[in-house]
């Protein structure tokens, strides 16, 4: 049956890695453990692997089509005769077994490398700590097809710099005036963490911000005091980070993790002219002006930025139609805010953020969503 091989969800001999072969020990494949989600056969898949213990790892798997379970699997990887073997059994939605009582579907180990586990007929390939590919041989009508399944693992990020955000009763008007009630009743939060550059003086930079939300979007009010505003590069897609700009970091589901060249999270640079740039999966800058509506009014050395931010989940794909996420009370969102400050140089002189970042490399927000703080959306308090 076509499902039988598939479901091990695990994969076939594909492109052997050139790196060092590891011993056939469970600890060398412990990265498989966790809860993984993907799509296959027109439905949604879930596979949960345990940590190694008692000489084995165990998994449960299910395929859901149209909101109903199509079938289940129980899988194990166990140590046997100085090697490993993956074995599984299939069950229908009613938990009736496909195999006979003593029958299992077996996949002997071929090799383990740093980022790959190859069994006879299927393999696991580690893409990152939160993503893996599974290749499986599917045999039908005397022919074998190698099918690739992509899995993502959700890792619950520890709450960091928890900020409660009030719900606005009406959508703020993005005009840079900030005279709505929600701004009058929300507290200012500081932008005062040096992420890059030399120490700055209060005369050179001061920053603070407020937040609000409605079901449609997250709203930001930022007050930036900067003695010199610089916009050297008129092309919005060239070295945009070296001009003065406001940078908003958003992780819609607060999952953390790498987002360098993917949409697990966004790092929106809002330029002085209002253009919005982030790094795309193509590893180059791209305009995301439809995600952000902003207005900046500058008086003397003080700029008021009023911003509406539409949120997108990590299924977002460039050059296709994507629907913003509706926001609800008690939702957690990964968030950080920063300002690129440049006075008279070709390169930015300071990068000041809203979240304390530990370690020597503090300029990690454009890569690592784990450094973001956490927003908790609170309900509107009725009078």
């Amino acid at each position: 049956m076509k499902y039988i091989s598939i479901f091990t969800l695990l994969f076939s001999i594909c492109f052997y890695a050139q790196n060092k072969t590891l011993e056939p020990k469970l600890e060398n494949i412990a990265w498989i453990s966790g809860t993984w989600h993907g799509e296959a056969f027109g439905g949604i898949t879930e596979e949960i692997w345990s940590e190694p213990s008692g000489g084995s790892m165990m998994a449960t798997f299910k395929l859901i089509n149209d909101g109903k379970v199509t079938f289940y699997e129980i899988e194990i990887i166990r140590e046997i005769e100085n090697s490993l073997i993956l074995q599984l059994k299939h069950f229908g939605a009613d938990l009736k077994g496909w195999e006979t009582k003593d029958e299992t579907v077996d996949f002997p180990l071929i090799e383990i490398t740093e980022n790959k586990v190859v069994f006879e007929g299927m393999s696991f390939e580690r893409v990152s700590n939160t993503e893996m590919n599974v290749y499986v041989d599917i045999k039908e009508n005397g022919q074998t097809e190698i099918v690739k399944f992509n899995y993502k693992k959700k890792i619950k990020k520890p709450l960091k710099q928890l900020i409660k955000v009030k719900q606005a009763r009406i959508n703020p008007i993005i005009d840079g005036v900030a005279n709505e009630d929600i701004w009058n009743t929300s507290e200012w939060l500081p932008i005062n963490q040096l992420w890059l550059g030399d120490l700055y003086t209060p005369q050179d930079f001061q920053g603070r911000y407020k937040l609000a939300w409605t079901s449609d979007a997250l709203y930001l009010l930022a007050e930036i005091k900067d003695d010199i505003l610089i916009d050297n590069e008129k092309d919005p897609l060239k070295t945009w980070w070296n001009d003065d700009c406001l940078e908003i970091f958003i992780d819609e589901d607060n999952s953390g993790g790498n987002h360098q060249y993917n949409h697990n999270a966004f790092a929106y640079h809002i330029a002085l002219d209002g253009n919005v740039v982030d790094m795309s999966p193509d590893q180059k800058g791209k305009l995301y002006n439809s995600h952000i509506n902003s207005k900046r009014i500058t008086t003397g050395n003080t700029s008021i930025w009023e911003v509406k931010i539409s949120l997108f989940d990590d299924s977002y794909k460039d050059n296709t139609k994507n629907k913003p996420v509706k926001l609800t009370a008690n939702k957690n969102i990964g968030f950080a805010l920063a300002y690129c400050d440049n006075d008279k140089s070709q390169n930015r002189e300071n990068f000041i953020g809203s979240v304390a970042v530990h370690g020597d490399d503090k300029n990690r927000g454009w890569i690592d969503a784990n450094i973001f703080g956490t927003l908790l959306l609170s309900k509107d308090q009725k009078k």
Side-chain angles (χ1 to χ4, degrees):
M1 196 176 281
K2 190 171 183 177
Y3 286 144
I4 288 197
S5 241
I6 124 184
F7 217 7
T8 325
L9 262 183
L10 309 149
F11 351 83
S12 159
I13 308 174
C14 71
F15 317 125
Y16 284 94
Q18 299 300 313
N19 45 0
K20 180 181 177 182
T21 299
L22 304 179
E23 289 186 273
K25 304 278 188 186
L26 289 174
E27 56 261 35
N28 289 328
I29 64 169
W31 54 266
I32 295 173
S33 63
T35 300
W36 301 88
H37 296 277
E39 297 179 4
F41 305 107
I44 298 170
T45 59
E46 178 183 86
E47 188 157 352
I48 306 172
W49 279 95
S50 71
E51 296 278 352
S53 63
S56 72
M57 296 175 66
M58 182 180 70
T60 58
F61 169 95
K62 65 181 176 181
L63 171 66
I64 299 173
N65 293 101
D66 298 324
K68 296 182 179 179
V69 173
T70 302
F71 71 93
Y72 300 96
E73 283 186 2
I74 293 178
E75 307 170 61
I76 64 167
I77 300 174
R78 64 188 179 93
E79 298 172 348
I80 180 172
E81 297 177 354
N82 199 33
S83 187
L84 301 176
I85 189 169
L86 188 152
Q87 298 175 291
L88 66 86
K89 279 181 172 285
H90 299 87
F91 301 86
D94 58 0
L95 216 55
K96 291 182 179 178
W98 292 8
E99 290 80 27
T100 62
K101 178 181 177 182
D102 295 326
E103 180 186 7
T104 59
V105 183
D106 296 351
F107 303 86
L109 179 70
I110 294 176
E111 73 167 356
I112 301 173
T113 59
E114 184 178 359
N115 292 308
K116 192 170 291 185
V117 186
V118 182
F119 292 93
E120 199 174 284
M122 49 197 179
S123 60
F124 301 79
E125 177 186 44
R126 175 165 54 182
V127 178
S128 70
N129 289 337
T130 58
E131 182 178 1
M132 75 173 173
N133 293 322
V134 167
Y135 300 87
V136 56
D137 286 356
I138 295 181
K139 297 179 181 180
E140 190 172 33
N141 299 326
Q143 296 186 343
T144 299
E145 178 186 5
I146 298 176
V147 179
K148 172 184 173 182
F149 301 91
N150 179 253
Y151 276 83
K152 299 288 179 61
K153 177 165 64 173
K154 294 291 185 184
I155 298 177
K156 198 159 186 180
K157 187 187 81 170
L159 297 184
K160 182 178 182 180
Q161 194 202 50
L162 182 63
I163 296 171
K164 292 184 179 180
V165 181
K166 291 183 179 180
Q167 182 180 11
R169 293 185 182 138
I170 59 172
N171 293 0
I173 298 172
I174 306 303
D175 55 9
V177 177
N179 55 0
E180 288 85 2
D181 287 342
I182 189 65
W183 297 136
N184 293 327
T185 58
S186 299
E187 65 176 300
W188 286 107
L189 300 163
I191 308 171
N192 59 2
Q193 300 294 319
L194 184 62
W195 288 356
L196 194 67
D198 297 327
L199 292 175
Y200 56 90
T201 66
Q203 291 72 35
D204 183 27
F205 170 83
Q206 294 181 57
R208 58 181 186 169
Y209 67 101
K210 295 182 178 185
L211 293 164
W213 71 279
T214 66
S215 63
D216 294 330
L218 184 68
Y219 291 85
L220 167 72
L221 177 68
E223 180 188 84
I224 304 296
K225 294 184 178 180
D226 185 4
D227 56 347
I228 300 175
L229 295 180
I230 291 291
D231 190 8
N232 288 322
E233 183 55 71
K234 299 307 177 185
D235 185 339
L237 298 180
K238 287 186 178 178
T239 60
W240 58 88
W241 56 86
N242 284 328
D243 289 332
D244 286 336
C245 67
L246 195 67
E247 186 166 359
I248 300 171
F249 300 87
I250 292 287
D251 180 9
E252 177 271 333
D253 60 359
N254 199 40
S255 59
N258 182 286
H259 71 102
Q260 184 174 8
Y261 299 123
N262 62 71
H263 294 313
N264 178 48
F266 290 88
Y268 298 118
H269 300 72
I270 308 178
L272 297 179
D273 64 5
N275 277 307
V276 180
V277 185
D278 189 13
M279 195 70 76
S280 75
D282 293 331
Q283 301 187 23
K284 58 186 179 181
K286 181 179 174 64
L287 290 175
Y288 292 93
N289 290 347
S290 62
H291 296 204
I292 301 282
N293 179 19
S294 71
K295 177 68 175 180
R296 174 180 60 90
I297 293 181
T298 299
T299 305
N301 71 343
T302 301
S303 295
I304 299 296
W305 302 67
E306 200 167 13
V307 185
K308 177 183 177 181
I309 310 156
S310 298
L311 271 64
F312 296 88
D313 62 27
D314 56 12
S315 68
Y316 184 93
K317 288 182 172 51
D318 288 331
N319 306 317
T320 62
K321 189 174 182 180
N322 298 275
K323 190 174 181 180
V325 172
K326 288 293 184 182
L327 304 186
T328 57
N330 300 316
K331 179 179 178 62
N332 284 341
I333 299 169
F335 175 85
L337 182 65
Y339 187 76
C340 296
D341 186 21
N342 189 2
D343 289 340
K344 298 178 181 178
S345 304
Q346 286 299 113
N347 301 317
R348 63 181 169 185
E349 295 164 2
N350 301 103
F351 192 30
I352 305 107
S354 63
V355 178
V357 180
H358 300 293
D360 295 331
D361 180 12
K362 302 184 186 302
N363 181 26
R364 304 201 310 273
W366 71 286
I367 295 174
D368 183 7
N370 288 321
I371 69 105
F372 300 176
T374 299
L375 305 182
L376 173 61
L377 305 187
S378 64
K379 293 182 179 179
D380 177 24
Q381 301 299 314
K382 303 295 184 183
K383 290 184 179 179

